[in-house]
Amino acid sequence: MDISQRKLQEHSIVLIGDFNPAIFQPLWLASVELISKSDAEAAEIDIISKKAAIFTVGEIRIEVLQTRFQAQTIREDHFETLRDLVVGIFGLLNFTPITQIGINIAMHFLLDSEDKWHEVGHTLAPKKIWEGVLNNPGMTDLSMIEDKRRDGYKGRIMVMVQPSVRYNPGLYFFINDHFEAEGNRDIITILEKNWKISIDRSREIISKLLTGLL
Amino acid sequence: MSSSLPLYNSKMSTQVLDKQECLVQISDDNDAEEEIMESGPFEPQGNVRIATGLVKKSPKDDNATVIRFPKVPKSRSNFISLQSWEGFVVEKKDKTFVARVSDLTHDNPEEEAEIPLKEVSEGDMGLLEQGAVFYWHIGYLHEASGQIKRHSSIIFRRFPMWRKEDIEKARLEAQKMMELFVRE
């Protein structure tokens, strides 16, 4: 199995900092020309308040809390748009304190059989140690981290593997490419300089795991 | 929106109880000034005021507890890209535009393409001018209904509107650098 057989790929950019959710509104995004007027008018708004702003514009979902901003999409043709939107927003709101950023990729795969699915679980989490401890143990989640980045940035890379909740029998990979920096300018610069590198690296990680597992 | 929504007080804090249903618990908090906003008009219906509109300040009322924002779960389509290019517009014609495109999927040389204008969404049409940058993806669109179809997607890059102070700052910076060069 290879990466081209993915059933779904999701991309999200998560920022940790100090936000004012109330200002994140579709009409504001349109007024600064970051989205089209038609997308703003057709936006699906769940809530916009001082504490939370959750809405979908076009194919991008935005969730803002006072300490967390997330933009996500499951449309691969909108991955660049998502990046541009985040860069654009925080280029304008360059006074926003942001301390961390996650450039995240997730993929779902449908496996041929349940046997293959169990085989993956056994490879990632050998069951011998669990004999006599649990009856019929099964892996539900495995996370691994590389805690010292090779590119000189502060942060880490985390890889999570789980059974897919969307496809059965299926596999789910989630890569959190986490950077830390001081000041908003560094974070946005990190995003601009590393977005493509990060996406490519995450895809390579998943590709290598697929080769090793299946 | 349901007509059975209770009243709510603007001086309240909010807590999202259930994202799926998007129930919002609103509790009394006399110190909090809340502005609950949503698209659409604000309509009174007897004792119930339905927050379907942009509300700056609602009338004070002690009864409000929970507002339900009915959320019809909407499955979204997903798109798997098979081939993608980054391009820029060379010339806009009557029914097509000419662009130089770089292959983002394979190591192929830059090419020129003539693309029908109808491939561009209405929302992006205003961005289509000489020099405009776009991303072009061809792949499979998996619709929420389950249907899978081949799909071509052209999306123009958007850059935020420059603020006057940003332009002035850039101009001053450029002037300083120009003076440096002239001196040397």
Side-chain angles (χ1 to χ4, degrees), chain B residues 103-117:
Chain B
D103 193 333
L104 296 176
T105 311
H106 303 103
D107 209 6
N108 288 322
E110 198 180 75
E111 294 178 87
E112 195 165 272
E114 189 156 353
I115 303 167
L117 288 180

Side-chain angles (χ1 to χ4, degrees), chain A residues 16-71:
Chain A
I16 303 297
D18 192 358
F19 307 100
N20 179 5
I23 66 172
F24 291 86
Q25 298 186 43
L27 289 177
W28 172 70
L29 293 174
S31 74
V32 292
E33 297 174 6
L34 284 173
I35 64 173
S36 68
K37 203 173 163 210
S38 53
D39 274 351
E41 286 164 356
E44 295 161 35
I45 297 175
D46 289 350
I47 185 168
I48 295 178
S49 77
K50 242 164 121 171
K51 303 232 169 117
I54 303 172
F55 57 89
T56 303
V57 281
E59 300 295 337
I60 296 173
R61 183 164 176 80
I62 306 273
E63 295 180 2
V64 192
L65 301 176
Q66 287 173 321
T67 55
R68 187 177 191 271
F69 169 97
Q70 174 171 295

Side-chain angles (χ1 to χ4, degrees), chain B residues 104-142:
Chain B
L104 296 176
T105 311
H106 303 103
D107 209 6
N108 288 322
E110 198 180 75
E111 294 178 87
E112 195 165 272
E114 189 156 353
I115 303 167
L117 288 180
K118 62 183 181 189
E119 292 281 321
V120 180
S121 69
E122 221 176 284
D124 274 8
M125 210 38 104
L127 300 171
L128 204 170
E129 55 184 30
Q130 196 177 25
V133 179
F134 62 92
Y135 289 101
W136 185 14
H137 289 260
I138 290 176
Y140 287 107
L141 182 66
H142 295 243

Side-chain angles (χ1 to χ4, degrees), chain B residues 21-35:
Chain B
E21 281 287 311
C22 213
L23 290 173
V24 179
Q25 168 85 45
I26 302 189
S27 53
D28 278 328
D29 179 358
N30 289 328
D31 294 328
E33 283 280 329
E34 281 301 311
E35 294 186 353

Side-chain angles (χ1 to χ4, degrees), chain A residues 6-7 32 34 36 44 46 48-51 58 63 74-78 80-81 83-84, chain B residues 13-14 19 33 35 37 71 74 76-81 135 137 141 153 155 157-158 160-161:
Chain A
R6 64 194 181 278
K7 285 293 184 187
V32 292
L34 284 173
S36 68
E44 295 161 35
D46 289 350
I48 295 178
S49 77
K50 242 164 121 171
K51 303 232 169 117
E63 295 180 2
I74 58 174
R75 289 281 300 252
E76 291 180 15
D77 52 343
H78 282 68
E80 294 93 357
T81 305
R83 172 207 60 204
D84 288 347
Chain B
S13 60
T14 59
K19 261 172 89 167
E33 283 280 329
E35 294 186 353
M37 290 165 275
K71 183 180 172 182
K74 186 179 173 182
R76 307 208 74 89
S77 59
N78 73 288
F79 180 84
I80 302 287
S81 180
Y135 289 101
H137 289 260
L141 182 66
S153 166
I155 300 172
R157 284 192 81 177
R158 286 176 179 273
M161 185 184 73

Side-chain angles (χ1 to χ4, degrees), chain A residues 39-166:
Chain A
D39 274 351
E41 286 164 356
E44 295 161 35
I45 297 175
D46 289 350
I47 185 168
I48 295 178
S49 77
K50 242 164 121 171
K51 303 232 169 117
I54 303 172
F55 57 89
T56 303
V57 281
E59 300 295 337
I60 296 173
R61 183 164 176 80
I62 306 273
E63 295 180 2
V64 192
L65 301 176
Q66 287 173 321
T67 55
R68 187 177 191 271
F69 169 97
Q70 174 171 295
Q72 70 181 105
T73 184
I74 58 174
R75 289 281 300 252
E76 291 180 15
D77 52 343
H78 282 68
F79 282 11
E80 294 93 357
T81 305
L82 189 150
R83 172 207 60 204
D84 288 347
L85 183 61
V86 176
V87 169
I89 288 171
F90 293 101
L92 287 171
L93 302 178
N94 56 10
F95 45 82
T96 306
I98 304 172
T99 54
Q100 300 168 48
I101 182 170
I103 302 172
N104 307 319
I105 284 286
M107 286 192 199
H108 291 261
F109 294 86
L110 176 64
L111 301 182
D112 292 334
S113 65
E114 230 176 82
D115 284 344
K116 274 260 184 266
W117 186 67
H118 285 298
E119 207 180 296
V120 168
H122 294 325
T123 304
L124 288 170
K127 302 298 181 297
K128 196 165 169 56
I129 194 171
W130 296 99
E131 284 170 16
V133 177
L134 291 178
N135 280 342
N136 202 25
M139 188 200 89
T140 59
D141 178 282
L142 179 83
S143 297
M144 302 289 286
I145 67 163
E146 182 177 280
D147 65 355
K148 193 171 165 63
R149 297 187 64 93
R150 300 178 216 182
D151 51 19
Y153 288 103
K154 276 179 74 177
R156 63 170 194 271
I157 294 175
M158 186 191 78
V159 180
M160 188 194 308
V161 187
Q162 294 176 344
S164 171
V165 297
R166 280 183 181 254

